[in-house]
Amino acid sequence: VYGIVKQNNGSINVYSEEGTGTTFKIYLPITSEHSDAFPSAADGSGLTGGTETILVVEDDDAVRELTIDILTDLGYQVHAFSNVEEALDHTRNGEEPADLLLTDVVMPGMDGAELAEAVVKERPSIRVLYMSGYTSNAIATHGVLDEGINLLQKPFTQADIARKIREVLDADQTG
């Protein structure tokens, strides 16, 4: 939430009293601009999908289900996991090879970078795309991910994820 609010030039104030509770107030700048932030399904024309296989690792059920729906609609084969252990078991047991690992950065037990390292060790040709609600600066500053990695900011639209996945899959991996 903090990353999303900061990206939109907002701020968060926290008020907390022992025994009473905590209140979070989110302030966002007012605008008179019209936004198509929520395009209709018909607006998806021109989106480029593919037939590659994608491993999705996301501990939030709603985000995982939305991601599965979007990727399936784009034509991808999807194997989704709610935790790191399931994804590692799938990879280590020689299940169907995947072209891309799409993983949340912050998860219980093992973060996305550690998961990616383990998966790449098993499947060196797999591409990796991280997703996070934190800003890329916050992630790099806290040492969770190196600068310059492939990162998809949450929340994302169908167009955002379609474009970023094609960018990562189509990138030249030599060098």
Side-chain angles (χ1 to χ4, degrees):
V1 171
Y2 177 79
I4 294 166
V5 170
K6 283 300 190 185
Q7 286 175 341
N8 289 285
N9 300 316
S11 62
I12 300 176
N13 287 339
V14 180
Y15 305 93
S16 185
E17 284 187 41
E18 189 173 333
T20 303
T22 303
T23 301
F24 291 84
K25 291 188 176 183
I26 299 174
Y27 299 93
L28 297 170
I30 193 165
T31 181
S32 59
E33 290 180 32
H34 174 71
S35 173
D36 291 327
F38 302 102
S40 67
D43 240 359
S45 63
L47 295 181
T48 304
T51 58
E52 291 91 346
T53 300
I54 300 175
L55 299 180
V56 175
V57 186
E58 169 61 61
D59 60 321
D60 183 292
D61 294 339
V63 175
R64 187 177 57 259
E65 291 303 319
L66 174 65
T67 304
I68 293 167
D69 290 345
I70 290 172
L71 296 177
T72 302
D73 287 349
L74 290 169
Y76 294 107
Q77 301 300 310
V78 179
H79 297 282
F81 307 97
S82 62
N83 62 62
V84 170
E85 293 79 20
E86 291 175 353
L88 286 173
D89 285 346
H90 175 86
T91 303
R92 290 178 179 148
N93 290 332
E95 302 291 337
E96 178 183 350
D99 302 290
L100 178 77
L101 169 64
L102 175 60
T103 181
D104 192 7
V105 173
V106 179
M107 292 182 291
M110 179 185 282
D111 67 41
E114 293 169 320
L115 170 63
E117 185 179 328
V119 170
V120 168
K121 187 179 284 187
E122 295 288 326
R123 309 271 172 103
S125 65
I126 197 167
R127 307 288 178 108
V128 179
L129 173 58
Y130 298 96
M131 57 182 162
S132 179
Y134 294 98
T135 64
S136 55
N137 288 344
I139 292 170
T141 301
H142 294 350
V144 178
L145 293 177
D146 295 329
E147 288 190 49
I149 50 86
N150 295 310
L151 179 66
L152 175 66
Q153 291 288 159
K154 295 181 200 174
F156 50 79
T157 64
Q158 184 178 26
D160 293 336
I161 194 169
R163 184 174 33 258
K164 193 66 177 181
I165 285 176
R166 282 292 7 131
E167 176 184 310
V168 173
L169 287 171
D170 295 341
D172 182 15
Q173 241 185 340
T174 60

